[in-house]
Amino acid sequence: MTTPTPERADFVVVANRLPVDRAENGEWRRSPGGLVTALEPMMRRADGAWVGWPGQADLEVEPFEFEGTHLVPIVLSAEDVELYYEGFSNDTIWPLYHDVIAAPRYSRVWWESYVRVNQRFAEAAAEVAAEGATIWVQDYQLQLVPKMLRELRPDVTIGYFHHIPFPAYGLYSQLPWRRQVLEGLLGADVIGFQRVADAGNFARAVRRQLRYDTKASGISVPMGDGRTRIALAKAFPISIDAESYAELARSPEVQARAREIREGLGNPRKILLGVDRLDYTKGIRHRMKAFGELLTDHKVDASDVTLVQVASPSRERVVAYAQLRDEIELTVGRINGTFDTMGHTAIRYLHHGYPREEMVALFLAADVMLVTALRDGMNLVAKEYVASRIDNRGVLVLSEFAGAADELGSALLINPHDIVGLKDTIMRAIEMPGAEQGRRMRSLRRRVFEHDVEAWSQSFVAALDAARRRDRGPGPREVAPA
Ligand code: F6P
């Protein structure tokens, strides 16, 4: 769909990826994902633009219009992908911010590339933003962009949302560039985190490293001329477009597909489900260890209970991810080799991504959803499962180390490192009576539907508008929620 190209946009999103994927025939398709859906109405109302990488190395594309949004592609060379994306973003920041589950690697060459690429994103956003615009930067790949933007465009209001955890100071302080990253983030007027604990960790790092004063959610940032400004750092837990999951779950085709999935697995009494990017933070090995031991202990039988594990391919050129894949596939092979029967499999392992319809069918087919992350910013899969269970049935087993645990207290909360506790909880989930499932699921669904992704984006943008009014007075270009 083509609309007139805005010269300058009043609302600009800056994210590592554009909200579209390029198909093999060169056509653009909207990428699945809640962020795109959440921001779409604001994008349309405010002449929105989205600055991001189209997902392939060396792909040079002119800015273009897609479904009412002006897209500004950033070119990343093969070297940028290796150093900035796979290196600093996903082999330094990712493991460090996920509590060093894998060892972070600190490379000066990666850091230099991260600075260069962040500058490129900041310049592109500065160029497309109208006078007094609002710019919303997304996630850990772009932590330096807020400060760079403030230097380039002091007239704009800047938000930053951190989708992953922010670690405790004792870990964060390992980062050789810890001051620069804090200063980069503090370029924003509002810095959003998933959990209250993440915002607290950030404020502590700022106090310890930069010696800035913090009071409640406000951080006093010196402006260099003797004055200070207040940056707001607080929790805005992200969510999903819950209604769209419920709508799919109501569709007769999806319900028929759910029945077909059960039949395809030999109609086991119970289906357990894990759905993750294949990432070492997700606790897939812990989950398989617990399930393997339940089979060994004869607590469950492969003809009776099946674990379906969807592990979508991710960051495959990063060594830690390639190793994880080997380990998981070895474990699945061993467990299945030992416990499969001619008619039933213990673990149905699928190394693919699936469209949303298929995922909702799987959610409907699964009696127990296992979210055993060792550390996770939020874990939207937990919320997707809940939103899909229009029948108020099914049990969510949820790691207390996932951000979602702060909101979804009616799930069965677990510590994935405690294998005995995890096994007991899986058994409790398998045996849970329908009435208790219903009570818990209704309470989970209330939370997920009341705090959906639209509520999330509106509350963040309202905080940004408040910051603008405080510092600059009301502007004609204010991005008011619908
Ligand atoms: O969880 C953080 C995150 O960046 C998500 O926003 C995103 O969906 C996911 O990781 C995938 O990451 P990548 O862009 O590296 O494939």
Side-chain angles (χ1 to χ4, degrees), residues 176-452:
W177 307 278
R178 57 200 183 183
R179 287 175 64 91
Q180 291 96 314
V181 168
L182 295 175
E183 283 165 354
L185 292 168
L186 286 169
D189 296 286
V190 179
I191 307 158
F193 295 93
Q194 299 282 25
R195 302 180 99 160
V196 174
D198 297 316
N201 288 344
F202 175 72
R204 175 142 193 264
V206 168
R207 281 195 301 274
R208 293 291 298 267
Q209 279 300 318
L210 304 177
R211 306 270 161 217
Y212 295 171
D213 288 336
T214 65
K215 201 169 163 197
S217 311
I219 300 177
S220 303
V221 184
M223 290 165 74
D225 56 3
R227 291 180 304 155
T228 55
R229 61 180 182 83
I230 300 293
L232 189 72
K234 61 176 277 203
F236 294 87
I238 199 169
S239 194
I240 57 164
D241 50 333
E243 188 45 48
S244 75
Y245 283 85
E247 198 181 313
L248 280 174
R250 284 191 288 266
S251 121
E253 291 79 18
V254 170
Q255 293 181 5
R257 177 66 190 137
R259 287 191 293 275
E260 204 176 278
I261 289 171
R262 279 200 95 94
E263 277 158 28
L265 292 166
N267 272 322
R269 183 171 65 91
K270 295 283 173 172
I271 296 175
L272 316 182
L273 175 64
V275 175
D276 313 84
R277 273 186 312 104
L278 188 41
D279 193 298
Y280 50 79
T281 60
K282 303 291 184 184
I284 304 171
R285 281 176 297 199
H286 295 63
R287 188 180 311 165
M288 287 187 175
K289 185 164 183 55
F291 186 61
E293 287 190 17
L294 288 173
L295 287 160
T296 308
D297 301 345
H298 303 291
K299 290 271 177 45
V300 296
D301 191 291
S303 62
D304 200 37
V305 179
T306 294
L307 168 61
V308 176
Q309 177 64 56
V310 176
S312 54
S314 184
R315 305 172 189 167
E316 294 189 290
R317 297 195 326 173
V318 179
V319 174
Y321 288 77
Q323 281 172 351
L324 175 73
R325 180 173 178 195
D326 287 348
E327 283 172 38
I328 301 255
E329 294 183 357
L330 185 71
T331 305
V332 171
R334 283 200 176 139
I335 292 178
N336 283 346
T338 308
F339 297 104
D340 276 10
T341 65
M342 286 299 175
H344 291 94
T345 187
I347 303 180
R348 173 63 53 87
Y349 166 77
L350 304 145
H351 185 239
H352 316 284
Y354 289 98
R356 194 181 278 194
E357 291 75 9
E358 182 73 356
M359 292 316 304
V360 173
L362 252 178
F363 291 143
L364 285 177
D367 302 286
V368 178
M369 180 79 217
L370 296 174
V371 177
T372 57
L374 308 177
R375 181 53 83 193
D376 208 334
M378 172 54 64
N379 197 287
L380 293 178
V381 169
K383 293 186 174 181
E384 290 168 6
Y385 179 67
V386 168
S388 303
R389 294 313 304 236
I390 52 172
D391 56 351
N392 292 317
R393 283 293 177 273
V395 184
L396 174 63
V397 173
L398 176 60
S399 166
E400 62 193 65
F401 299 109
D406 281 5
E407 297 174 78
L408 304 182
S410 297
L412 295 183
L413 296 182
I414 50 108
N415 167 6
H417 298 283
D418 170 12
I419 299 295
V420 173
L422 178 55
K423 285 163 66 180
D424 288 348
T425 308
I426 292 174
M427 289 313 298
R428 186 172 162 208
I430 288 174
E431 306 304 345
M432 187 180 285
E436 185 180 349
Q437 291 183 33
R439 267 199 313 279
R440 288 176 179 273
M441 189 54 79
R442 270 190 287 275
S443 146
L444 294 170
R445 288 176 63 75
R446 257 196 310 279
R447 171 75 204 188
V448 171
F449 280 83
E450 278 167 16
H451 294 86
D452 67 358

Side-chain angles (χ1 to χ4, degrees), residues 66-85:
F66 185 85
E67 295 182 356
T69 301
H70 183 61
L71 302 186
V72 182
I74 298 287
V75 182
L76 293 187
S77 67
E79 189 184 72
D80 295 331
V81 173
E82 187 187 332
L83 306 180
Y84 147 80
Y85 170 72

